[in-house]
Amino acid sequence: MSVPEPTLTTAQELVGAFERLNGFRPSGVWAAPGRVNLIGEHTDYVGGYVLPLALPQQALAAVGLRYDGILSCASTLTDERVELDVADLRPGRVTGWAAYPAGVVWALRAADHDLAGADILVGGDVPIGAGLSSSAALECVVGLALGELNNLHLGRAELALLCQQAENAFVGMPSGVMDQMASACCTDGHALFLDCRSLHAEQVPFTLGDQGLELLVIDTRAPHRLVDGAYADRRMSVEEAAMALGVRSLRDVPRESLGDIGALDERLRPRARHVITENARVLVTVDLLRAGEYAAVGQLMTMSHASLRDDYEVSCPELDTAVAAALEAGALGARMTGGGFGGSAIALIAHDRRDEVERAVRAAFAGRDFAAPRFFRATPSAGARRLL
């Protein structure tokens, strides 16, 4: 499931569009960013470690309260306007992009927050279907806006958990909490070191420019499919592995005990190996960033991609081609980011190698008749906030 590709990117433009649609000004405009995950993939739903950063691309929402029990959702992409009875919201009853804001309203009401209704117009510029958490950005911007307008005093972790509940139980995507926590909690110039079990979060400085480096996002434009059973299958397999090993979660198996997975069957063993080694890679990466050894992170990124490709089997030809071409062109490291099965890759590169890396990836894609990729720099940015 995807949300519409928003086209308006400024708060003032969104205010004008809201006024034309509804005949009055919104109560405010809020923003929540998409994210890339530097490292720590498919570890959040086992309570493991992740290291995302917020993007400058963000979802916007102009919101006004209403008191007739109706939730009205519209997007700047389409003339479609979806009107829903707040009291009648149930998982499975709303399809398409409107399920995301509707799911947030449902989750808030399920948590005993009294919401009577709202008019919501969404816009922004988070690429859709690129594995950059456009859905989490939409959930968080709606949750933040409704929380503030209804004086709910939600903490950022509480907001993220409610939005995760919307995605898990209402939309039907069994994801972990990383995407929502990144959108809600990241800060400018930092990566978010998150323990997904305790939700303890640390802002780790991530100033690549000082090192002459940048993080390049490669949107492969390969279809990003997660609600087709493959993601859920991976989650079930690591839960089975944990049960077989007698632990609460694979998070509880340290890298030093990797030999214990030899008792698992051939299907579960590589899945467990990825999760255990990926958690370890996150911890080493954080230590390197704290020490200012940014270039050394590249090798861990490349190891992460190999693990995701070979052990977890969530990559695809476009992602593998992007990673291989970037490395051949001199990237310090590269990996897929996000849930996989399409979406985006990231490459850690020297600033003066960007043109060369982009040319190499474009040529590799053309050589395999893939759609032309898109590129942009990942600049660590601020989390969800009110703009107007």
Side-chain angles (χ1 to χ4, degrees):
M1 184 183 299
S2 63
V3 298
E5 186 83 50
T7 56
L8 298 181
T9 58
T10 72
Q12 291 293 350
E13 288 176 318
L14 203 61
V15 167
F18 186 99
E19 285 187 287
R20 290 190 294 274
L21 183 65
N22 297 293
F24 57 90
R25 287 180 64 85
S27 300
V29 177
W30 288 259
R35 65 95 190 95
V36 293
N37 189 23
L38 183 64
I39 199 164
E41 221 65 77
H42 288 277
T43 54
D44 58 344
Y45 50 78
V46 299
Y49 304 106
V50 295
L51 192 63
L53 54 111
L55 294 169
Q57 289 79 7
Q58 56 194 4
L60 302 182
V63 182
L65 291 181
R66 56 192 294 171
Y67 303 95
D68 58 358
I70 297 299
L71 174 66
S72 174
C73 302
S75 165
T76 58
L77 175 68
T78 174
D79 292 333
E80 179 188 20
R81 183 169 182 163
V82 179
E83 294 199 345
L84 303 164
D85 184 341
V86 167
D88 197 41
L89 292 176
R90 300 287 188 281
R93 290 191 179 181
V94 185
T95 59
W97 72 271
Y100 294 102
V104 172
V105 172
W106 171 82
L108 286 166
R109 286 172 57 85
D112 295 325
H113 297 298
D114 186 20
L115 300 182
D119 289 298
I120 300 173
L121 176 63
V122 299
D125 60 353
V126 183
I128 305 303
L132 304 175
S133 295
S134 58
S135 60
L138 177 53
E139 292 157 358
C140 287
V141 74
V142 169
L144 180 64
L146 293 177
E148 290 189 3
L149 290 177
N150 288 279
N151 297 312
L152 302 183
H153 306 292
L154 301 174
R156 289 307 175 100
E158 183 182 7
L159 170 65
L161 288 170
L162 285 166
C163 291
Q164 181 200 17
Q165 176 70 5
E167 184 142 341
N168 290 175
F170 196 91
V171 177
M173 174 61 195
S175 60
V177 75
M178 174 184 68
D179 295 348
Q180 292 82 5
M181 283 290 290
S183 189
C185 301
C186 279
T187 61
D188 189 41
H190 295 79
L192 183 75
F193 175 37
L194 176 66
D195 180 332
C196 294
R197 174 177 289 175
S198 69
L199 296 189
H200 174 75
E202 177 187 345
Q203 305 292 341
V204 180
F206 192 64
T207 52
L208 289 177
D210 295 346
Q211 310 289 323
L213 303 173
E214 63 181 73
L215 190 64
L216 183 68
V217 178
I218 307 166
D219 177 4
T220 69
R221 304 179 73 180
H224 185 64
R225 306 178 189 91
L226 289 181
V227 194
D228 62 357
Y231 188 103
D233 173 74
R234 299 306 187 277
R235 182 163 185 165
M236 289 175 59
S237 68
V238 296
E239 290 172 354
E240 287 181 49
M243 185 177 300
L245 293 172
V247 294
R248 174 183 173 188
S249 162
L250 292 180
R251 145 74 182 267
D252 299 312
V253 181
R255 176 69 175 79
E256 296 76 21
S257 300
L258 192 59
D260 294 346
I261 69 172
L264 299 175
D265 65 37
E266 294 182 0
R267 179 178 63 91
L268 298 181
R269 194 179 306 128
R271 305 286 193 256
R273 181 167 54 236
H274 165 72
V275 171
I276 295 166
T277 58
E278 186 77 348
N279 272 319
R281 282 186 286 270
V282 174
L283 298 178
V284 175
T285 298
V286 171
D287 286 342
L288 290 171
L289 293 183
R290 287 172 176 153
E293 298 178 17
Y294 287 74
V297 172
Q299 183 178 0
L300 292 166
M301 292 171 59
T302 304
M303 292 170 63
S304 172
H305 182 77
S307 182
L308 288 158
R309 180 193 64 212
D310 301 334
D311 281 347
Y312 223 61
E313 298 181 288
V314 292
S315 190
C316 69
E318 291 90 344
L319 288 168
D320 293 340
T321 298
V323 167
L327 292 171
E328 289 171 6
L332 298 172
R335 63 183 293 272
M336 56 158 278
T337 188
F341 310 106
S344 295
I346 53 175
L348 182 64
I349 61 175
H351 180 71
D352 59 6
R353 300 299 292 269
R354 178 173 179 174
D355 289 345
E356 185 175 350
V357 170
E358 289 188 9
R359 282 196 300 270
V361 175
R362 285 194 185 98
F365 272 49
R368 299 195 61 177
D369 292 325
F370 294 153
R374 297 181 290 191
F375 303 88
F376 61 90
R377 185 172 63 180
T379 304
S381 302
R385 62 205 183 280
R386 185 169 186 162
L387 300 180
L388 292 175

